[in-house]
Amino acid sequence: MQPKYSIVVPTYNEEANISELYRRVSAVMDRLDGVAELVLVDDGSRDRTLPLIRQLREQDARVCYLSFARNFGHQIAVTAGLNVSRGQVVVTMDADLQDPPELILEMVREWQAGYQVVYARRTQRKQERWLKRTTAYGFYRLLRTLADVEIPTDTGDFCLMDRSVVELLNHMPERNRYIRGLRAWVGFRQTAVQFERDPRFAGAVKYTFRKSLALAINGLVSFSIVPLRLSTYMGLIAAAIALLMMFLVLYWRVFEPKSPLTGFATIALAIFFLGAVQLICIGILGEYIGRIYEEVRGRPLYTLAETAGLEPANDIGRGRSG
Ligand code: UDP
Ligand code: MG
């Protein structure tokens, strides 16, 4: 039977959260006004996450899952879940219960009121480290100034999307997926519901600092070409300074031959500074070229080792299915 609601949850080493997640999500699923499916995406976990998911599937046929052949990262896991989900309405949320499943009911009411995208905006981050809070705050504001679409601040991937939006996302060929950006890019009627972000139910954070940084750079590069212009601006500024210096040096040579501003230190400084500027600009170029290379290579986004209860569109590397 075609489900009306799909709840997509990426999981990576979440053995301590799976049963509590199921308990709270299934309670919400019971209260929805239609058939619901829970799509669990195992992102190559190395702990007992997958066996626990298999058990859930045996208990409850509304649970379906796919399991990656290795860890591909959160955004890809969400993408895979969107690819296979069948509901008219699809909700994506984290496995660690930082996103309260009960909020889904409120999101569904907004959908019924005619919105195609309902994203959850966090008003407070409970017990998240100071560093994470400030960097997240700064990043979202930087992204807002640079990006060419308006990506709502302080929203994550916890959201509800209508089938029409999910189909559009599924047909976007890009590999570097910054889902909250793509979701804003498609347009349609979008609205927010507020919530307080709870602390993690159990287990450690899976988004290491490196992964968060990679996601942030990905967001900036995927949704803005302003950094590419940076080298042009810096080049212009450097040229202006050089011109000014030329006249100054000429003046000193003629009128003040004993000027202190000629010498090794000045030259060394100027060389180091411009060297740094050039390297940074090449690095920025590299970010864009690397992404072009990834897109052109055209490898599949993920490889599947196991699925149950789903007909995946992409069945590369599919081992067994049940
Ligand atoms: N996650 C994933 N693959 C990864 C890292 C994380 O599927 O490589 C999942 C994780 O299981 C969780 C969600 O992404 O359901 C968010 O991760 P986490 O709670 O560590 O990050 P944060 O709360 O900082 O966003
Ligand atoms: Mg979390």
Side-chain angles (χ1 to χ4, degrees):
M1 192 165 151
Q2 184 83 6
K4 183 171 177 192
Y5 298 98
S6 301
I7 300 169
V8 171
V9 185
T11 56
Y12 176 52
N13 295 345
E14 301 284 10
E15 59 180 4
N17 290 316
I18 291 289
S19 33
E20 179 67 7
L21 174 81
Y22 172 72
R23 194 184 64 75
R24 280 179 65 184
V25 171
S26 60
V28 170
M29 284 160 77
D30 294 338
R31 288 168 63 192
L32 288 168
D33 67 331
V35 182
E37 62 174 359
L38 174 60
V39 182
L40 294 169
V41 183
D42 165 42
D43 187 8
S45 300
R46 285 197 210 107
D47 63 356
R48 291 189 28 80
T49 301
L50 183 58
L52 287 173
I53 291 177
R54 283 195 199 114
Q55 249 174 38
L56 284 182
R57 163 83 192 159
E58 268 161 38
Q59 282 167 27
D60 186 343
R62 294 176 302 176
V63 178
C64 21
Y65 67 86
L66 41 123
S67 176
F68 286 173
R70 67 166 170 87
N71 179 244
F72 279 89
H74 176 226
Q75 300 289 301
I76 303 288
V78 173
T79 303
L82 294 180
N83 286 346
V84 299
S85 66
R86 289 161 294 194
Q88 269 174 58
V89 177
V90 182
V91 175
T92 59
M93 59 178 279
D94 287 356
D96 57 2
L97 295 165
Q98 282 197 287
D99 306 332
E102 295 73 27
L103 198 72
I104 294 173
L105 299 166
E106 200 180 315
M107 291 166 138
V108 167
R109 277 196 291 278
E110 296 289 340
W111 175 73
Q112 283 160 343
Y115 289 100
Q116 280 87 24
V117 175
V118 186
Y119 47 86
R121 172 177 268 145
R122 38 206 179 215
T123 50
Q124 213 184 349
R125 291 165 168 259
K126 282 187 205 160
Q127 286 175 18
E128 279 189 351
R129 290 221 328 273
W130 171 86
L131 184 71
K132 173 138 190 175
R133 280 205 313 267
T134 34
T135 46
Y137 183 89
F139 167 71
Y140 285 122
R141 264 102 204 136
L142 179 70
L143 186 64
R144 190 171 57 187
T145 15
L146 293 186
D148 32 88
V149 289
E150 198 171 320
I151 302 172
T153 49
D154 303 317
T155 63
D157 291 320
F158 186 22
C159 70
L160 174 152
M161 289 180 276
D162 184 75
R163 171 69 22 205
S164 51
V165 173
V166 174
E167 284 304 314
L168 282 169
L169 290 184
N170 285 345
H171 284 97
M172 288 189 192
E174 56 201 278
R175 256 117 261 288
N176 280 293
R177 302 189 80 86
Y178 187 62
I179 291 170
R180 52 201 91 157
L182 298 175
R183 186 182 73 202
W185 184 88
V186 295
F188 290 97
R189 294 189 64 203
Q190 309 210 350
T191 187
V193 293
Q194 314 279 339
F195 79 112
E196 275 183 23
R197 196 148 206 235
D198 293 325
R200 224 171 202 284
F201 177 71
V205 179
K206 305 298 167 331
Y207 253 96
T208 52
F209 179 72
R210 236 181 69 206
K211 279 187 181 172
S212 298
L213 188 69
L215 183 70
I217 293 178
N218 216 351
L220 282 177
V221 174
S222 301
F223 284 91
S224 172
I225 53 163
V226 177
L228 280 175
R229 263 175 233 145
L230 212 67
S231 49
T232 318
Y233 297 147
M234 289 203 276
L236 286 175
I237 294 171
I241 294 174
L243 213 67
L244 198 82
M245 284 298 282
M246 200 176 81
F247 286 115
L248 269 179
V249 169
L250 216 68
Y251 172 84
W252 285 323
R253 271 287 146 85
V254 178
F255 300 103
E256 283 176 57
K258 288 215 182 73
S259 160
L261 240 161
T262 51
F264 178 72
T266 326
I267 294 171
L269 256 178
I271 290 175
F272 273 110
F273 175 72
L274 284 179
V277 168
Q278 281 170 12
L279 286 177
I280 291 169
C281 292
I282 294 173
I284 293 173
L285 262 182
E287 287 290 332
Y288 286 86
I289 293 176
R291 275 169 181 74
I292 297 171
Y293 179 50
E294 274 171 21
E295 299 291 339
V296 169
R297 245 181 350 210
R299 283 190 194 145
L301 273 179
Y302 49 85
T303 52
L304 290 179
E306 185 180 328
T307 69
L310 297 163
E311 318 100 55
N314 166 352
D315 52 5
I316 295 134
R318 198 165 145 193
R320 67 166 214 240
S321 64

